[in-house]
Amino acid sequence: QVQLVESGGGLVQAGGSLRLSCTTSGIIFSLGAVGWYRQAPGKQRDLVAEITSGGRANYADSVKGRFTISRGDTKNTVYLEMNSLKPEDTAVYYCNVIDRGTAWRDSRSFWGQGTQVTVSS
């Protein structure tokens, strides 16, 4: 079974930076998109950044130019570099990976437990 563990969250002042890490374990048969989502109190979970199966990075308009998604050297870690943080970035950040499956196994989506990011004004 695939497991994802996020780390790197914390409290930071506005204008500061954080780097979130997502470490994966288990077997993914066919890697699809990997991404970061966030959920603020009372809000729905929204996509922040993703790397598609074709290697293209996409970002929410609210974080373009400030956040960067990347994969580690071993390809089992996904990072989210967050710069120029704003109070509105405060949320629980979740890592997500897609297993596209095989001809005999259907596609599945996996989530981490989340890591809290709090940006003070």
Side-chain angles (χ1 to χ4, degrees):
Q1 195 77 56
V2 173
Q3 291 186 322
L4 284 65
V5 179
E6 301 98 333
S7 63
L11 175 64
V12 64
Q13 291 183 321
S17 300
L18 285 173
R19 184 179 69 173
L20 306 183
S21 299
C22 172
T23 301
T24 65
S25 63
I27 299 173
I28 296 177
F29 291 91
S30 181
L31 183 63
V34 301
W36 287 92
Y37 292 70
R38 68 186 181 187
Q39 187 168 24
K43 305 293 184 180
Q44 68 180 37
R45 187 174 299 184
D46 293 324
L47 175 69
V48 177
E50 67 173 359
I51 301 175
T52 70
S53 59
R56 189 182 307 275
N58 298 314
Y59 299 91
D61 288 340
S62 60
V63 307
K64 286 181 179 177
R66 299 190 297 120
F67 291 11
T68 303
I69 187 171
S70 63
R71 299 188 65 189
D73 294 338
T74 64
K75 303 297 183 182
N76 71 330
T77 304
V78 184
Y79 299 102
L80 184 67
E81 299 273 0
M82 305 186 296
N83 300 309
S84 301
L85 284 163
K86 305 174 181 179
E88 50 263 45
D89 294 319
T90 296
V92 177
Y93 284 70
Y94 298 90
C95 182
N96 173 258
V97 301
I98 301 295
D99 187 345
R100 299 168 68 186
T102 67
W104 52 269
R105 190 179 189 275
D106 58 1
S107 178
R108 297 185 179 186
S109 179
F110 300 94
W111 296 89
Q113 85 289 343
T115 184
Q116 176 71 49
V117 172
T118 302
V119 184
S120 62
S121 60

